[in-house]
Amino acid sequence: MGKNNNTEGRLRYNILTTIVYIIGIILIIQLFNLQIIHGAEYREESNSRLTRESVLKAARGSIKDRTGVELVTTDTKYSVEIYSTKVDDTTLNNSIKKFIEILENNEDEFIDNLPIEIDPFKFTQETEEEQKNWKKNNDIDENFSAKDAFNALKQKYEITEEDNTLARKIMAVRYEITRNGYSSTKSVKIANNISDTSAVQIREQNAKLSGMNVTTEPTVSYTSGSLASHVLGYVGAISESEYETRKDTYRNDDVIGKDGIQYVLEDYLKGTDGVKQVDMTVDGAITSEYISKEAVAGSDVILTLDANLQKVAEEALKQNIEDIANGKYGDKHDAKAGAVVVMDINSGEVLAMASYPDYNPEKFSEEYSEDNTGRYTNRAISSAYPPGSTFKMAVATAALDTGEITTKTRINDTGVYPYSYHPVCWYYRNYRSGHGYLNVTQALKYSCNYFFYEMGYRLGIDKIAEYASKYGLGKRTGIELTGEASGTLASTAYAESINYTWYLADTLAASIGQSYNEFTPIQMARYISMIANGGKNVDVTLIKSIINSDGSEVPKEDVENYIDNKLGTKNEVEEDLNISEENLQAIRQGMKGVTSEAGGTAYSYFTDLDMVIAGKTGSAQTQDEDIVHGWFSGFAPYENPEIAVVVLIEGAGSGGYTAYTAKQIIEEYFGMNSEEITEDKTAESSLESVR
């Protein structure tokens, strides 16, 4: 048995040894073939071909309205990048010259950040300090003039063109390459958004264009120009400070959200870049390309906005402002700006948010960079205004809920209030008499100042402020945008914070929406929504959902936590109003009288509207006695309300004039046939103080 085992063992050993020898011989033959027979050929091929990694840009996610209409999308554009190759300066300059010729023949442009102009020679930097730093960073004598610096760069880049215009173009591309530091494996972008024709010609003439490669790149596109510009925001080139904190996920030539939803949801909208391999000869000719890592598109953001309603809101607001300025409703007023908010009264979803003037986000940098008209300010959330008579519902709420009055209590408006500085009702200014005896519903309908002076006298400012605060006035809504203002709620606490002594006169003024009261249109929309829905708190929002590129939906809780971390803001109203339905109904009936009953301050504007709605106008005085802001705040329909509509026009002259915009919005939302309002020029539209 032992002898047989030894024999079998030796046999296995011999077989294994033979196999090892055979494999070794095969490897030696293959090495001989590679190194001796074909060595020169493979070395030549290796030396003449390099593989570069190129970034495959991911498309940003789309931004859509609640029905799926794309407001922001991604178009594919062509760009040109360049790698360092083993060619001399003369060959490189000739390649750039050919590249520029192709672009200019097709009316395309290359990237030009060279801070020197010619004819005449001058630096484009604004300060001498900036010029000095630039010269230092580019190894140029700090005493050199623009012409001297130009000639120094011309010599550095070995540009031999005598025509300075052409020389400067070549220099601009060379400067871009130097500024961003290209290499044989790292490219520098030298042209953006070139035409299909240029892209084809560059690819066809690739052998003459050393190191240049045409890439496809997603570009943010706004489908409807300036529509919802203050909500959507804009993107721009990533700044040095932004890049420093994001080097792990961004390149220095990336775009990034700068404002609006583009900024707030940047982390969702930005996709993940892929990688493309580019095989290129040492003199810069491309031999092949292939994708080694696919790009992943960003997530789509679905907003609560309705694109059609948004369009009507913006157009109506703009037309309304122009009509006021042109005197369509009587006297001309210096109306130039305004805002609109349309809100679902139950969910708090913002269906439309307009701010005028607006801007085109796609052309932000080239057209508006030095604009000082305030067109970038989202007046719907960032600007606070005295509410005027639209504040009277909050005062009525306080008076009814505290029991200072009941729905049947009647106050006799004699025209001149007997206390403090003896303020008068607007009615007295026009007719030299008061409204007579009014209950709270009638006082709202006729916007009787005397009635609310009396409410202020009985309640005191802090009780009014308590109830106004429950409506969210003077508090941020937590909407998912930057720059939301808190506004100001008049109170003794606020007066103390500014070292002001509070007087009865201040309470009287505050009770009709003046004094220190200043609220944003978005706050006013929440306030009106709570009146309409029975006093329930609403969680104001612009974001309906976020859908990942694989079709999955981001959990609501994740989105809310992300927003909280990004903005640090939340809805500052946490509880329902808890007021009796009888008292709220008395307030709503007063608002119905404003728009739907003869004698109401906005009745003439809604006589032909085929729906009963509720509203309140406000003509709010400012520190400049010649400027009166106009408000309309209401809800529709009166029975089973669905939406709150708030319109603010700076310098409107009268709150009634803003009803044009509100009417157009209501007609669009409820599918009515929109017809131009025929204003009743005989209807009373005088201003008084505020109503």
Side-chain angles (χ1 to χ4, degrees):
M1 290 294 291
K3 186 176 181 180
N4 289 337
N5 287 339
N6 290 336
T7 302
E8 289 177 4
R10 284 196 298 273
L11 179 61
R12 291 193 192 99
Y13 174 79
N14 291 335
I15 292 172
L16 181 61
T17 301
T18 302
I19 292 172
V20 170
Y21 277 122
I22 292 172
I23 293 173
I25 292 169
I26 292 172
L27 289 175
I28 290 170
I29 293 171
Q30 185 63 24
L31 286 172
F32 182 81
N33 179 58
L34 291 172
Q35 295 184 13
I36 305 302
I37 298 176
H38 296 289
E41 177 186 341
Y42 289 145
R43 278 194 296 273
E44 182 180 352
E45 182 178 345
S46 175
N47 290 334
S48 64
R49 185 181 69 182
L50 293 172
T51 298
R52 282 94 168 176
E53 281 193 353
S54 177
V55 175
L56 191 63
K57 293 281 190 179
R60 284 178 74 84
S62 297
I63 304 177
K64 304 177 182 181
D65 86 335
R66 64 190 299 112
T67 67
V69 173
E70 285 190 332
L71 303 174
V72 183
T73 186
T74 300
D75 290 338
T76 300
K77 302 289 185 180
Y78 293 107
S79 299
V80 181
E81 61 186 8
I82 186 170
Y83 291 91
S84 176
T85 59
K86 294 180 180 180
V87 297
D88 57 27
D89 280 326
T90 299
T91 304
L92 177 57
N93 291 339
N94 287 335
S95 292
I96 292 172
K97 180 179 176 181
K98 183 64 178 176
F99 159 73
I100 292 170
E101 180 184 323
I102 291 172
L103 293 191
E104 291 186 339
N105 285 342
N106 298 312
E107 298 183 351
D108 289 327
E109 297 179 352
F110 55 89
I111 295 173
D112 184 352
N113 289 304
L114 181 65
I116 300 176
E117 292 182 1
I118 60 175
D119 297 330
F121 283 98
K122 66 177 182 178
F123 292 109
T124 58
Q125 294 105 329
E126 293 184 0
T127 67
E128 290 186 6
E129 185 65 25
E130 289 175 323
Q131 293 175 18
K132 183 178 179 181
N133 290 335
W134 180 80
K135 292 175 189 176
K136 181 179 179 181
N137 292 334
N138 289 275
D139 298 323
I140 294 174
D141 191 311
E142 66 177 37
N143 296 314
F144 273 13
S145 65
K147 183 176 181 180
D148 293 335
F150 177 84
N151 288 328
L153 289 177
K154 189 174 180 181
Q155 182 177 0
K156 174 183 178 180
Y157 297 137
E158 297 186 19
I159 300 171
T160 59
E161 297 293 336
E162 294 184 4
D163 180 354
N164 280 343
T165 300
L166 178 56
R168 191 203 170 282
K169 293 175 182 177
I170 297 171
M171 188 184 298
V173 177
R174 291 294 301 272
Y175 172 70
E176 190 67 19
I177 293 170
T178 304
R179 192 170 74 98
N180 289 284
Y182 79 155
S183 69
S184 61
T185 57
K186 177 192 174 187
S187 65
V188 169
K189 189 185 301 180
I190 55 176
N192 279 317
N193 302 336
I194 65 172
S195 63
D196 294 356
T197 305
S198 288
V200 169
Q201 291 176 1
I202 290 171
R203 283 172 171 161
E204 288 176 344
Q205 301 181 50
N206 177 257
K208 300 177 183 178
L209 301 171
S210 177
M212 295 185 196
N213 179 37
V214 175
T215 64
T216 55
E217 189 167 307
T219 303
V220 175
S221 176
Y222 291 77
T223 63
S224 302
S226 62
L227 187 73
S229 57
H230 293 92
V231 173
L232 301 176
Y234 60 95
V235 298
I238 190 169
S239 66
E240 289 186 16
S241 60
E242 290 170 330
Y243 177 63
E244 284 301 316
T245 60
R246 297 172 172 84
K247 286 184 177 180
D248 55 335
T249 52
Y250 287 80
R251 284 167 53 95
N252 61 1
D253 60 351
D254 275 338
V255 297
I256 191 170
K258 300 286 188 177
D259 193 27
I261 291 296
Q262 292 278 25
Y263 167 78
V264 174
L265 296 181
E266 168 67 20
D267 291 349
Y268 287 106
L269 289 165
K270 176 179 168 53
T272 303
D273 292 340
V275 177
K276 181 175 68 173
Q277 303 290 343
V278 180
D279 288 345
M280 189 180 290
T281 62
V282 291
D283 60 357
I286 295 172
T287 58
S288 66
E289 299 177 79
Y290 57 94
I291 296 172
S292 59
K293 178 185 176 183
E294 292 285 355
V296 179
S299 303
D300 290 344
V301 174
I302 316 301
L303 300 180
T304 60
L305 297 183
D306 180 289
N308 289 331
L309 192 66
Q310 179 75 23
K311 185 172 186 291
V312 169
E314 291 185 10
E315 291 177 350
L317 177 63
K318 179 182 178 182
Q319 188 63 53
N320 203 172
I321 290 170
E322 291 175 355
D323 287 345
I324 292 170
N326 292 328
K328 179 177 179 179
Y329 310 120
D331 294 337
K332 293 182 179 181
H333 296 278
D334 191 23
K336 295 179 181 177
V340 168
V341 177
V342 185
M343 186 178 293
D344 183 308
I345 65 157
N346 295 306
S347 68
E349 292 183 349
V350 177
L351 307 177
M353 178 187 287
S355 181
Y356 184 84
D358 56 15
Y359 66 95
N360 186 332
E362 202 164 318
K363 299 179 179 179
F364 176 83
S365 60
E366 60 187 83
E367 289 190 3
Y368 309 123
S369 58
E370 309 219 343
D371 189 281
N372 59 1
T373 62
R375 67 173 65 245
Y376 309 124
T377 301
N378 186 349
R379 288 170 167 79
I381 68 167
S382 299
S383 299
Y385 306 88
S389 291
T390 59
F391 187 64
K392 290 174 179 175
M393 288 86 76
V395 179
T397 302
L400 289 166
D401 199 53
T402 59
E404 285 294 340
I405 61 170
T406 69
T407 57
K408 295 180 172 57
T409 301
R410 301 175 74 209
I411 304 294
N412 182 22
D413 170 16
T414 59
V416 181
Y417 192 67
Y419 302 114
S420 188
Y421 62 103
H422 305 297
V424 300
C425 184
W426 69 267
Y427 194 80
Y428 180 83
R429 290 183 185 275
N430 295 319
Y431 303 108
R432 312 311 296 176
S433 69
H435 285 103
Y437 282 95
L438 301 174
N439 60 26
V440 67
T441 298
Q442 294 167 324
L444 287 169
K445 171 182 174 179
Y446 296 114
S447 198
C448 177
N449 285 352
Y450 187 108
F451 185 98
F452 289 96
Y453 291 144
E454 178 63 15
M455 296 305 99
Y457 180 80
R458 295 187 185 188
L459 290 164
I461 187 58
D462 288 334
K463 186 56 68 173
I464 293 173
E466 176 187 333
Y467 278 83
S469 181
K470 291 180 179 180
Y471 277 120
L473 296 174
K475 295 181 177 180
R476 290 180 296 184
T477 66
I479 194 165
E480 303 95 337
L481 292 172
T482 59
E484 183 180 11
S486 295
T488 306
L489 180 58
S491 66
T492 56
Y494 178 74
E496 289 172 3
S497 73
I498 60 172
N499 297 317
Y500 177 76
T501 302
W502 192 266
Y503 297 97
L504 175 59
D506 299 302
T507 300
L508 300 184
S511 68
I512 60 167
Q514 295 293 153
S515 181
Y516 292 106
N517 285 319
E518 288 189 340
F519 312 128
T520 62
I522 192 74
Q523 288 175 15
M524 296 294 286
R526 175 173 58 184
Y527 160 54
I528 298 300
S529 294
M530 292 180 69
I531 292 173
N533 71 18
K536 298 181 182 65
N537 175 35
V538 293
D539 189 9
V540 179
T541 183
L542 269 168
I543 301 172
K544 202 162 186 67
S545 62
I546 299 178
I547 308 298
N548 294 321
S549 59
D550 63 3
S552 62
E553 182 174 351
V554 179
K556 278 279 186 184
E557 184 179 356
D558 289 356
V559 178
E560 290 172 358
N561 290 336
Y562 171 85
I563 296 295
D564 289 344
N565 291 331
K566 180 98 175 190
L567 300 181
T569 60
K570 292 185 177 181
N571 181 0
E572 295 177 354
V573 177
E574 299 178 353
E575 299 179 356
D576 294 343
L577 186 61
N578 292 322
I579 183 175
S580 75
E581 179 59 25
E582 178 188 1
N583 289 339
L584 264 183
Q585 187 61 15
I587 293 169
R588 289 194 290 257
Q589 286 176 346
M591 295 175 68
K592 181 182 78 169
V594 169
T595 57
S596 306
E597 298 175 8
T601 56
Y603 173 67
S604 63
Y605 298 94
F606 293 97
T607 52
D608 61 343
L609 183 66
D610 190 22
M611 175 181 288
V612 177
I613 68 168
K616 187 74 189 76
T617 58
S619 303
Q621 291 178 322
T622 66
Q623 292 181 345
D624 185 338
E625 62 180 18
D626 294 327
I627 297 178
V628 176
H629 299 325
W631 288 91
F632 176 86
S633 298
F635 62 86
Y638 176 71
E639 298 290 346
N640 301 314
E642 296 180 27
I643 59 170
V645 180
V646 171
V647 182
L648 176 282
I649 295 180
E650 296 178 14
S654 171
Y657 298 161
T658 64
Y660 169 87
T661 299
K663 183 173 184 287
Q664 294 290 94
I665 290 168
I666 292 168
E667 288 176 332
E668 169 64 23
Y669 181 84
F670 291 102
M672 303 175 185
N673 292 323
S674 180
E675 296 179 1
E676 184 178 357
I677 294 178
T678 302
E679 299 299 338
D680 182 358
K681 297 297 179 61
T682 63
E684 180 54 56
S685 62
S686 60
L687 288 189
E688 56 80 31
S689 351
V690 191
R691 66 177 183 184

